[in-house]
Amino acid sequence: MTDIDRLAREDDAEHHHEADAQRAPMLERVTRRAVLGGAGAGLSAALLAACGSSGAAHTVTETIAGSPAPTLFDNHRTLRFTVVSHATRSPVFTPTHYGVADACRLVGASYQWVGSQNGNIDELLHALNFAVGARVDGIATTLTDPGAFTAPLSAARDAGIPVIAYESDAPDSGRLAYIGSDPHASGLQMGTRIATLLPGGGNIAVFISAPGDTNLRARLQGLRQGLAGSGVHADVVATGEGAGAQQATINGYLPRHLDRHGFFALDGSSTSALANTIAGIGRAHVLAGGYDLTPETQQQLAAGALQFAIDEQPYLQGFLAILQLYLYRVSGGLTGPANVDTGARFVDRHGVAAYVRSQSRFEGTGSSPGLQPA
Amino acid sequence: MATPQAPAPSDESSQSTLSDEELVTAAPEVLATSLREYLHAWAQKIRNGESGALPVIVGLILIIIFFRIERRVFLSDTNIVNILTGSTIYVMLGAAEIFILLLSEIDLSIGFGAGVGGLVIAELIASPVNLPWWLGIIGGMAVMAVFGALQGSLVSRLNLPSFVVTLGGQLALQGLLLVIANLDPTAVGGVIQIDPGSPIYKLVNGTMSPGLSWAMVIAAVALFGIASLVKNRARTARGLTAPPLGVTLISIAIAAIGGILLVVTANANTPSGIPWVFPFVVLVLVFYTWLLGRTRIGRYIYAVGANPEAARRAGINVRWIVTFAFIMSSVTACLAGVVYESNQGSMSIDINGGQLVLFAVATAVIGGTSLFGGRGRMFNALLGGIVISVVVNGLAVMGVGAAAQDIATAVVLLAAVTLDSLVRRRAAAH
C-alpha cells in the first residue's frame, strides 16, 4: 500500500469517526513516547496511521527522545494543536500533514488533523468551533472563504487561542498570520509562463476545482491578468470537489477538446487528475501544467507530459504553522505569528529529476525521515 | 455558395407566368420530368452560375483530404465526433445570426448572448436556486428574449443601425456576465460548474446507446424519405412541378448513407453512440426551417429582408417582424449557451463571445446566407458550422498556433464569399 493510499484510507476512517469525535465531551488523549533511534522508517507511518485512523477522536503526540525543546523553552506541558484542512484526504495535503507531524514531534506537541474532505464550509466551521470549544492551544487552518470564518476566529481570539492560516488566506478573518504563497502572484506567473509557451497565442482550457475557494479565485484572477494581451484565450472549466469528480470531469473533457493548444490546472488535485488523463490517452505532446507535486504530477513531469508544476512548499506550510503556534504559546504571545511567503517555484522536467530520484516526507512521496532513494 | 433561394416561394407562386423559354434559363430543373433531364438541368444551372452549396461541399471535401494527408488522426472516429460536436456551437450561433442576416441586418451580441443565457441557466439550476433544468432553460430564454426585444425595438422603432445597437449590446452583455457572476459567491472567480447529473451536462457529454443511435437515424431517414415522397406526390396531384422520383430516391439514399456513416463512427467512438446534442441541433434547425418556410411570420422575414419598403406597402408590420427576428436571434443564442456550457461542463465569464460571433457570421455566410438580406436557409448553417469546425480542429490537430488558425479561418471565409460573388456575377452575365 502506498503512502497516499494509506492516508486516503485513514481519512476515510477519520470521516467515519468525526461525528463521534465531535460529540465527545473531551478529547481522548493518546500519548506515545516513541524513541527514535532504531524505530526507523515505520515510525512516521505509524504516526500518521495513528492520527489518521483514529481521526479526530485521538490526539497524536510524539517527541523525539532527547529533544531539547521542553528545556529550551521551559515548557513541560504538552501543547495541543488542531490543524484544519478543506481537503483532508487530498494527496496535495500529504506533505502538509507530514510537516505538522514532524514539527509536533520536534517540540513535543500533540495535534489533530480535521476538516472536510470536499471543501464543505459547514464541516470546516464545525471543526473550528469544536477546537475552540476544546480550548486547544492553537489552530492552523485553511481559510477558503473571505467571510465565512470570521465568527469562529473571533471566538478563538476571545478564548485566547492563536489562529494561523496556511495554504488559503482570508486576510480579514482575524487570523494572526498567513503561511503560504501569494495566490494572485503565482497565478500571474503561471499566466506569463503559459503566454511564453504559446508565443503565437492559442485556446487553452484551465481546470479549477469548485466552489468559491478564495485561494483559487485569486490564482485565477492572476492567471487572467498574466494572459491579458498574449493572444491566449482560456476557457475555464470547474472540475468539482473530490478526486473522483475531478478525474471524471477531466477524463471526459480532454479527449473531446484535443483542438485546444494546452490544458492547465489551478489546483493540485485537478493537476493530478490532468496528469492521469494525459498519461491515459498517451499524448505526451499536449501542452500542460499546474500546481503542486503530487506523485502523479511528478511522474508526468518527468515523462514530459506536463511542462511545469508550481511548488508552494506544502510541507513547510504545515511545519512553520506548528512552530509559530508553539512559539506563540511558549513566549506568552510575545513572538511567533508572522506572514511567510512560501513562494511559487516552477518545477519542470529537469527540475523534477531530484524529486523522482528520492522519496521524502517533504513532497509526500515517502514516509521515512529525510531523503530516501526512490 | 449562397444557395439560390427564392424568397420563400409559395406553392402558388410556382404557377408563374414565365414562358417555358424563361423557365429553362431561370430554373431549368422545373421542367425536368426524368432523372436524366434533371441532372442535365442541374449541370446547366451550375454552368449558369447557380451552383448552390456545391462549391462549399467541394471545398469542404478538399480541406478534409488535406488534413487527412497531413494527420492520419484527423479522420479517426474520435476526431470526427469531436469535429461534429465542436460544430454544434457554431451551427446554433449561425442559426441565430441567420434570423438577422435575412433582414439585411447584423447581430454582434449573440456571442456574449450565449454567455449570459448560459450563465443565467447555470445559476438557476445550481444551489441555492435549484430550479429544474427545463425551468432554468426557460428562465435563460426569457431573459434573452427581453434583451432581444430591446435590441429589436431600438433597430426597428428608432431606426438605429443594427451594427451599432448590437455592438452596444455586446458590451452590455459582457458587463451583465460579470454582474451575474459576482452575485454568486460560490462561483470560483466567475466559473460555475454544471452538475454532471443534469440533462444539460449530458446534452454534449452524454450519448445514446448504440442501439438507440441506429433506431434514431433509421427513423429520421425514414421520416425524411416519406415526407419527401408524400410532398412530391401531393405537388404532382395538384399539378405543380416536383423533382423526378429518381432525384428524390437519390437524396434519400444520400441521407441514408450519411446516417449510416454517422452511426458507425459514433458507435465506434468512446463513449459509443451519438451525442444527444446532434438530434437537438437538427430538431432546432427543422423547427426553424418550418418557422421560416411555413409560417406567415417566417415568410415575412424573407419579404422584409428582400425589400422592406415593398413589404411595408404590402401591409406587413415591419417593426414587429424586425423585433421578432431579434428576439429569435437572442433566444437561439441562449440555446447556443446551453450547448456551450454542456460542452465545457461549466459556465464561465471567459466565454470568447467576440470570436464566437464572428464565427457565427462566417457560419451563416459560408452556409449561403446573403449578407444583403432575403436569401438563406437554416439547414445550411449545418454546412457552415462543419466547415468552421473542420478548419479549427484540423489546424489544431496539426499543431498550428491560434494566430495561424484565425488567419486560415479568415481565408476560408473570404474564399467562400469571393466564390459566391464570382458565380453570382457570372449568373448575372447570363
Side-chain angles (χ1 to χ4, degrees):
Chain A
M1 186 167 60
T2 67
D3 207 37
I4 301 300
D5 295 335
R6 184 181 301 115
L7 273 175
R9 283 182 49 163
E10 290 158 6
D11 284 326
D12 274 342
E14 169 192 323
H15 190 64
H16 294 310
H17 291 298
E18 199 164 4
D20 294 340
Q22 287 164 348
R23 280 196 294 271
M26 287 183 62
L27 293 174
E28 180 189 348
R29 189 169 300 172
V30 177
T31 303
R32 284 188 277 164
R33 298 277 173 186
V35 179
L36 199 62
L43 188 61
S44 310
L47 164 72
L48 281 177
C51 81
S53 61
S54 52
H58 297 157
T59 302
V60 176
T61 306
E62 276 191 305
T63 309
I64 295 175
S67 167
T71 309
L72 185 63
F73 299 110
D74 191 24
N75 172 67
H76 299 282
R77 184 169 70 87
T78 301
L79 299 183
R80 297 176 298 134
F81 299 124
T82 292
V83 183
V84 181
S85 162
H86 64 272
T88 48
R89 64 175 298 177
S90 166
V92 173
F93 281 93
T94 306
T96 314
H97 199 156
Y98 278 128
V100 167
D102 290 353
C104 282
R105 292 170 66 206
L106 195 64
V107 298
S110 68
Y111 75 93
Q112 289 181 296
W113 179 260
V114 293
S116 169
Q117 289 185 13
N118 54 10
N120 185 304
I121 297 283
D122 288 339
E123 290 176 8
L124 295 172
L125 288 173
H126 204 64
L128 286 168
N129 286 327
F130 184 74
V132 173
R135 294 289 188 269
V136 297
D137 292 301
I139 299 170
T141 182
T142 55
L143 296 173
T144 54
D145 186 279
F149 301 107
T150 310
L153 264 60
S154 173
R157 189 174 59 241
D158 293 345
I161 302 171
V163 179
I164 303 281
Y166 73 95
E167 201 270 343
S168 328
D169 190 23
D172 299 328
S173 61
R175 91 295 190 267
L176 295 177
Y178 167 62
I179 301 170
S181 71
D182 177 343
H184 186 274
S186 75
L188 185 65
Q189 289 180 52
M190 187 182 195
T192 310
R193 174 65 67 99
I194 293 170
T196 311
L197 291 171
L198 289 169
N203 296 307
I204 62 169
V206 173
F207 300 108
I208 183 169
S209 66
D213 186 300
T214 49
N215 199 26
L216 298 186
R217 189 183 298 252
R219 282 180 186 171
L220 180 55
Q221 283 166 353
L223 178 87
R224 286 186 178 125
Q225 200 175 325
L227 292 177
S230 68
V232 177
H233 173 79
D235 277 320
V236 185
V237 179
T239 55
E241 285 286 351
Q246 290 160 355
Q247 194 67 68
T249 301
I250 297 177
N251 278 348
Y253 189 93
L254 209 71
R256 286 192 299 104
H257 294 87
L258 288 174
D259 55 356
R260 294 288 187 277
H261 292 92
F263 302 88
F264 300 91
L266 281 176
D267 58 280
S269 45
S270 293
T271 306
S272 282
L274 177 60
N276 286 335
T277 305
I278 291 174
I281 62 173
R283 271 179 61 110
H285 59 283
V286 169
L287 206 55
Y291 273 86
D292 300 329
L293 292 169
T294 61
E296 293 92 339
T297 302
Q298 289 188 22
Q299 285 168 16
Q300 292 309 315
L301 273 172
L306 292 175
Q307 271 63 47
F308 66 82
I310 297 173
D311 180 20
E312 297 187 337
Q313 307 200 72
Y315 179 92
L316 194 62
Q317 294 175 15
F319 192 83
L320 291 184
I322 293 297
L323 288 191
Q324 289 198 1
L325 290 171
Y326 182 81
L327 286 174
Y328 181 90
R329 273 293 169 203
V330 298
S331 71
L334 297 182
T335 191
N339 291 335
V340 177
D341 185 349
T342 57
R345 184 171 46 179
F346 282 77
V347 178
D348 61 10
R349 188 155 64 102
H350 306 294
V352 82
Y355 294 81
V356 295
R357 275 200 303 268
S358 62
Q359 291 184 331
S360 78
R361 297 162 72 85
F362 307 121
E363 293 302 328
T365 47
S367 57
S368 305
L371 278 179
Q372 306 296 326
Chain B
M1 329 118 284
T3 308
Q5 171 83 13
S10 63
D11 288 348
E12 285 70 27
S13 69
S14 303
Q15 295 171 312
S16 68
T17 53
L18 294 175
S19 66
D20 281 1
E21 194 177 329
E22 286 168 324
L23 263 178
V24 166
T25 309
E29 79 281 8
V30 169
L31 294 180
T33 53
S34 69
L35 178 59
R36 185 190 168 89
E37 283 179 30
Y38 193 89
L39 290 176
H40 181 72
W42 191 47
Q44 188 178 339
K45 269 184 75 173
I46 293 173
R47 279 199 299 276
N48 288 348
E50 293 292 336
S51 48
L54 191 64
V56 176
I57 294 173
V58 171
L60 178 61
I61 292 170
L62 290 177
I63 295 170
I64 290 173
I65 290 171
F66 170 75
F67 284 132
R68 173 61 180 77
I69 291 170
E70 286 291 323
R71 292 286 187 279
R72 284 177 63 90
V73 73
F74 181 73
L75 284 188
S76 67
D77 297 326
T78 301
N79 206 45
I80 290 172
V81 175
N82 282 352
I83 290 168
L84 294 175
T85 307
S87 73
T88 54
I89 181 74
Y90 306 134
V91 174
M92 292 301 294
L93 285 173
E97 197 64 67
I98 285 174
F99 278 110
I100 306 301
L101 291 181
L102 285 178
L103 294 171
S104 187
E105 304 282 356
I106 197 158
D107 188 345
L108 298 176
S109 72
I110 53 173
F112 284 103
V116 168
L119 188 60
V120 168
I121 294 168
E123 294 287 359
L124 288 179
I125 63 172
S127 179
V129 186
N130 287 323
L131 285 184
W133 64 273
W134 54 271
L135 215 50
I137 292 178
I138 290 173
M141 288 168 73
V143 168
M144 287 313 299
V146 171
F147 188 84
L150 182 66
Q151 289 197 133
S153 298
L154 288 173
V155 171
S156 64
R157 293 182 190 280
L158 298 183
N159 287 325
L160 300 178
S162 57
F163 185 90
V164 176
V165 169
T166 58
L167 188 63
Q170 183 189 96
L171 292 170
L173 287 171
Q174 259 181 289
L176 199 56
L177 202 60
L178 293 173
V179 169
I180 297 170
N182 287 338
L183 286 177
D184 182 2
T186 64
V188 189
V191 187
I192 183 164
Q193 190 180 25
I194 306 297
D195 176 11
S198 157
I200 291 178
Y201 183 88
K202 290 176 182 163
L203 181 68
V204 172
N205 294 287
T207 55
M208 302 173 188
S209 67
L212 186 60
S213 301
W214 278 117
M216 193 209 64
V217 166
I218 290 168
V221 172
L223 213 60
F224 170 70
I226 291 167
S228 303
L229 292 171
V230 167
K231 180 181 158 196
N232 287 354
R233 177 170 290 189
R235 287 181 67 91
T236 310
R238 288 162 65 190
L240 303 173
T241 57
L245 183 63
V247 172
T248 308
L249 290 179
I250 286 176
S251 62
I252 295 171
I254 290 172
I257 291 168
I260 290 168
L261 286 176
L262 175 65
V263 178
V264 168
T265 305
N267 284 357
N269 188 32
T270 310
S272 62
I274 291 177
W276 287 103
V277 68
F278 293 2
F280 171 77
V281 169
V282 169
L283 280 178
V284 169
L285 292 181
V286 167
F287 173 67
Y288 285 172
T289 302
W290 172 82
L291 183 76
L292 287 177
R294 296 284 163 182
T295 67
R296 180 172 294 182
I297 201 164
R299 292 176 181 217
Y300 284 175
I301 288 177
Y302 280 106
V304 171
N307 191 335
E309 183 55 25
R312 190 185 65 78
R313 285 171 188 248
I316 294 173
N317 185 344
V318 173
R319 284 177 177 172
W320 162 238
I321 295 299
V322 171
T323 307
F324 174 76
F326 272 94
I327 292 173
M328 288 308 296
S329 171
S330 292
V331 167
T332 309
C334 178
L335 291 178
V338 174
V339 172
Y340 176 86
E341 65 193 352
S342 179
N343 195 6
Q344 295 292 315
S346 299
M347 192 65 220
S348 88
I349 57 174
D350 300 283
I351 182 170
N352 202 351
Q355 188 183 52
L356 282 176
V357 72
L358 298 182
F359 280 174
V361 175
T363 296
V365 172
I366 292 171
T369 303
S370 168
L371 286 169
F372 305 104
R375 204 182 69 230
R377 282 200 294 189
M378 273 295 170
F379 249 94
N380 285 359
L382 213 52
L383 192 57
I386 290 172
V387 169
I388 298 280
S389 188
V390 160
V391 172
V392 169
N393 179 290
L395 290 172
V397 167
M398 283 176 64
V400 174
Q405 266 187 21
D406 289 346
I407 292 168
T409 312
V411 168
V412 170
L413 173 65
L414 288 176
V417 177
T418 309
L419 209 55
D420 184 42
S421 172
L422 286 176
V423 293
R424 246 155 251 299
R425 198 174 298 166
R426 187 172 169 184
H430 274 73

